């Protein structure tokens, strides 16, 4: 395919450079866990075309990404053509970058995990308290039971 390069494995530094100058990033996946490669491409300012699968619709911004039906070569060609015609100077690019940084930051992920851990910790404490209450003899108060055990 003229003017198309299949790079194989590249270093992080080379990847960043390649993405910042590419005319487009195509991600024809059928099964994906998260979709980090197209997100990296968008953050580098590259236009993206990717498979229209649930995870990509969930992870990718709503605008400025060109989707194609997985397994449909003609639809993929249409999406790539649209991407190349729109070019790097899309009006959505800066909004996409901000949306990605907001939705998929390590800080946000850490806050969600911490919130969940606090919730689970509270649930565990409540469960332990109920369990302890059931185990201790009714005539012993909580502090007395803890002192004896």
């Amino acid at each position: 395919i003229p003017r198309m390069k299949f790079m194989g494995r590249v270093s992080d530094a080379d990847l960043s450079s390649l993405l910042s100058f590419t005319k487009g990033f195509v991600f024809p996946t059928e099964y994906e866990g998260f979709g980090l490669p197209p997100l990296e491409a968008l953050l580098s300012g590259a236009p993206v075309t990717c498979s229209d699968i649930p995870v990509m619709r969930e992870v990718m911004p709503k605008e400025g990404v060109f989707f194609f039906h997985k397994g449909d070569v003609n639809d993929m060609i249409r999406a790539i053509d649209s991407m190349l015609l729109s070019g790097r100077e899309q009006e959505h690019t800066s909004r996409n970058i901000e949306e990605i940084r907001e939705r998929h930051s390590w800080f946000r992920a850490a806050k969600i995990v911490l919130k969940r851990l606090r919730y689970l910790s509270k649930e565990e404490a409540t469960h332990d308290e109920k369990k302890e209450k059931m185990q201790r003899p009714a005539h012993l108060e909580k502090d007395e039971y803890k002192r004896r055990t």
Side-chain angles (χ1 to χ4, degrees):
I1 301 172
R3 298 185 309 172
M4 184 176 269
K5 293 182 182 177
F6 294 90
M7 301 302 296
R9 190 173 199 92
V10 296
S11 70
D12 287 345
D14 288 342
L15 178 64
S16 180
S17 178
L18 288 167
L19 289 174
S20 65
F21 292 107
T22 188
K23 292 192 189 282
F25 183 85
V26 181
F27 197 63
T29 186
E30 290 190 14
Y31 306 101
E32 187 64 31
F34 183 76
L36 196 55
L39 284 176
E40 287 177 314
L42 282 173
L43 287 171
S44 296
V48 170
T49 298
C50 64
S51 302
D52 191 357
I53 59 174
V55 69
M56 291 293 107
R57 285 288 182 178
E58 182 181 337
V59 170
M60 302 304 286
K62 304 296 179 233
E63 300 177 56
V65 176
F66 302 89
F67 292 97
F68 59 88
H69 295 97
K70 71 176 184 174
D72 186 337
V73 174
N74 291 325
D75 197 36
M76 186 199 298
I77 291 168
R78 178 210 46 83
I80 292 170
D81 283 345
S82 297
M83 175 187 69
L84 293 173
L85 288 172
S86 78
R88 292 184 71 87
E89 304 305 320
Q90 301 178 57
E91 64 180 71
H92 307 295
T93 301
S94 60
R95 278 186 285 170
N96 286 347
I97 290 171
E98 278 310 306
E99 181 182 341
I100 291 166
R101 285 191 174 135
E102 189 176 306
R103 286 178 57 207
H104 303 294
S105 73
W106 286 114
F107 180 74
R108 183 172 183 266
K111 279 176 53 175
I112 291 168
V113 169
L114 183 60
K115 182 179 178 181
R116 185 67 182 151
L117 288 172
R118 284 182 177 149
Y119 172 79
L120 291 172
S121 175
K122 213 182 287 186
E123 287 289 309
E124 185 69 24
T126 303
H127 175 73
D128 288 348
E129 210 171 273
K130 286 178 184 176
K131 187 176 169 186
E132 180 185 310
K133 196 174 195 177
M134 289 173 46
Q135 290 176 344
R136 75 173 179 248
H139 67 281
L140 291 180
E141 289 298 317
K142 183 178 180 180
D143 291 337
E144 178 65 18
Y145 178 76
K146 280 187 174 180
R147 190 180 63 75
R148 290 185 184 186
T149 56

